[in-house]
């Protein structure tokens, strides 16, 4: 079982507009869709869609929390949900022909006693045995108000001490502090790694160097995603670049979640790096092709898989081994 922790879940509401969005105007909405969201939920949804066993751990509260609970159950995604006094947030996306405008609510304040409840539930899940045994943890997305930047470090320490690998998709202080707990893998995108390390990251040599810095600060491995330019993976003694030979046009929001989902599954299965990176690029490219953030069509992922280029890198140059 792969456990995806989502500390700030949401009800994602998408309004399709009949006309172009104009700030200050009122608009007719052509259709409305509603689903459970938040990065950790999206990671679990991708895994579930691709046939892997994944479960969400999240705090939920109020009427929106009930909507998240019902929506997860309706999709068949297993969940350990911890009750909150506050109201789960909503995100509202207004989509017209040309663009998507997103409004993100901050989320409810999580109190210290509610954090203690969450950690108790988390420890409980990590103690599960048999077919319920958690093989890997994903920590992904923003922290709600009330939870300090050391929260992901605490969650990482608890799992890694039990020998359960942790993949972290975070940035800034939350990622920096988390590195001290030696997560198995971190997955920032280019601007997140630049913000976290406080230095510009542009060329491939700089990307590999920033991956090495993340390892120096405690990460066991780093995958830095570079949008349509694919990704760079840095391990103890090796580095790879992987990219889709086909640049996909569509909705890139949530591509990172599909990448994290593939990295989680491949890691739990003990796949070699080139293999799991190939799957990661294929799934994330397929997520771009899908209009809804974090959704993907498995047959599109299969089709894109064959066109992924994976090459080993040394000091920012291809080392010659390409597949
Ligand atoms: N236009 C594209 N065509 C093909 N693949 C893409 C494209 N855009 C992104 N990808 C794939 O998706 C992966 C993740 O993209 P990106 O670096 O934008 O993640 P992200 O910024 O973390 O996304 P998010 O946080 O919105 O989920 C990339 O490593 C790449 O493999
Ligand atoms: Mg991301």
């Amino acid at each position: 079982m792969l456990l995806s922790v989502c500390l700030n879940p949401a009800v994602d509401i998408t309004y399709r507009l009949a006309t172009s969005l104009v700030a200050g105007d009122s608009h007719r909405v052509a259709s409305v869709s509603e689903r459970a969201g938040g990065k950790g939920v999206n990671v679990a949804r991708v895994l579930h869609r691709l046939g892997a066993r994944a479960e969400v751990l999240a705090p939920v509260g109020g009427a929106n929390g009930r909507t998240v609970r019902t929506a997860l159950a309706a999709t068949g995604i297993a969940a350990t949900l911890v009750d909150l006094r506050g109201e789960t947030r909503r995100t509202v996306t207004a989509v017209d022909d040309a663009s998507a405008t997103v409004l993100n609510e901050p989320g409810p304040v999580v109190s210290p006693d509610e954090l203690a409840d969450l950690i108790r539930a988390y420890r409980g899940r990590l103690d599960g045995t048999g077919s319920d045994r958690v093989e890997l943890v994903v920590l992904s997305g923003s922290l709600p108000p009330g939870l300090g930047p050391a929260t992901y470090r605490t969650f990482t320490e608890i799992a890694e001490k039990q020998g359960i690998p942790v993949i972290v998709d975070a940035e800034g202080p939350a990622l920096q502090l988390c590195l001290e707990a030696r997560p198995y893998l971190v997955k920032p995108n280019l601007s997140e790694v630049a913000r976290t390390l406080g230095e510009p990251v542009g060329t491939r040599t700089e990307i590999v160097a920033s991956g090495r810095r993340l390892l120096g600060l405690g990460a066991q491995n780093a995958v830095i995603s570079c949008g349509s330019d694919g990704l760079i993976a840095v391990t103890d003694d090796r580095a790879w670049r992987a990219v889709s030979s086909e640049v996909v046009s569509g909705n890139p929001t949530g591509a990172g979640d599909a990448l994290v989902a593939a990295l989680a599954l491949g890691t739990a299965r003990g796949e070699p790096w080139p293999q799991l990176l190939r799957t990661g690029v294929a799934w994330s490219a397929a997520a771009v092709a899908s209009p809804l953030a974090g959704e993907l069509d498995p047959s599109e992922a299969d089709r894109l898989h064959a066109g992924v280029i994976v090459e080993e890198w040394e000091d920012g140059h291809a080392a010659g081994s390409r597949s």
Side-chain angles (χ1 to χ4, degrees):
M1 179 67 79
L2 306 168
L3 183 67
S4 185
V5 176
C6 188
L7 294 179
N8 205 5
V11 175
D12 284 343
I13 298 161
T14 303
Y15 289 137
R16 284 197 176 277
L17 303 183
T19 52
S20 296
L21 183 81
V22 181
D25 259 8
S26 64
H27 298 80
R28 193 176 296 276
V29 173
S31 67
V32 186
S33 72
E34 190 180 85
R35 61 170 196 169
K39 287 188 148 321
V41 166
N42 291 344
V43 170
R45 180 186 288 110
V46 169
L47 285 164
H48 181 74
R49 182 88 173 90
L50 274 296
R53 292 186 68 230
E55 183 178 320
V56 171
L57 179 105
V60 291
N64 293 329
R66 284 193 289 281
T67 304
V68 167
R69 188 184 288 275
T70 312
L72 286 173
T75 333
I77 300 173
T80 298
L81 300 175
V82 175
D83 286 326
L84 277 188
R85 283 183 291 276
E87 179 80 38
T88 291
R89 70 191 173 124
R90 287 162 304 185
T91 71
V92 176
T93 306
V95 183
D96 63 19
D97 279 346
S99 62
T101 304
V102 187
L103 304 174
N104 284 318
E105 294 182 9
V109 175
V110 176
S111 67
D113 59 307
E114 289 170 329
L115 174 61
D117 289 347
L118 267 168
I119 290 179
R120 203 170 305 117
Y122 178 62
R123 286 188 190 278
R125 272 314 283 116
L126 298 189
D127 288 342
T129 53
S131 66
D132 261 1
R133 193 176 65 84
V134 173
E135 297 150 282
L136 182 141
V137 169
V138 173
L139 303 175
S140 175
S142 64
L143 295 170
L147 295 188
T151 306
Y152 277 157
R153 180 177 67 195
T154 305
F155 277 74
T156 303
E157 255 162 19
I158 292 170
E160 291 282 353
K161 271 194 187 140
Q162 283 184 236
I164 301 172
V166 178
I167 299 184
V168 183
D169 184 356
E171 65 162 315
L175 174 58
Q176 254 161 6
L177 290 173
C178 182
L179 295 172
E180 295 169 7
R182 306 221 63 228
Y184 176 76
L185 173 65
V186 294
K187 201 288 309 160
N189 66 22
L190 271 184
S191 49
E192 288 164 349
V193 83
R195 276 200 295 278
T196 303
L197 296 176
E199 59 190 25
V201 179
T203 66
R204 285 189 193 134
T205 307
E206 286 171 346
I207 300 171
V208 174
S210 67
R212 293 253 161 264
R213 277 200 62 197
L214 291 170
L215 267 56
L217 292 167
Q220 296 179 51
N221 303 283
V223 168
I224 298 169
S225 66
C226 316
S228 59
D229 213 17
L231 59 81
I232 300 262
V234 178
T235 70
D236 233 2
D237 52 354
R238 300 174 82 172
W240 286 271
R241 173 171 185 253
V243 66
S244 168
S245 56
E246 191 176 318
V247 174
V248 178
S249 61
N251 178 7
T253 311
D257 303 334
L259 172 58
V260 168
L263 296 174
L265 183 59
T267 300
R269 285 181 174 164
E271 287 176 3
W273 278 96
Q275 190 178 331
L276 65 91
L277 296 177
R278 179 180 296 279
T279 306
V281 169
W283 286 20
S284 52
V288 177
S290 159
L292 264 181
E295 300 276 353
L296 61 86
D297 174 0
S299 62
E300 182 66 358
D302 275 352
R303 189 186 68 76
L304 287 159
H305 197 264
V308 179
I309 298 159
V310 183
E311 42 191 16
E312 184 144 12
W313 278 71
E314 278 168 11
D315 296 331
H317 300 284
S321 114
R322 183 170 169 151
S323 55

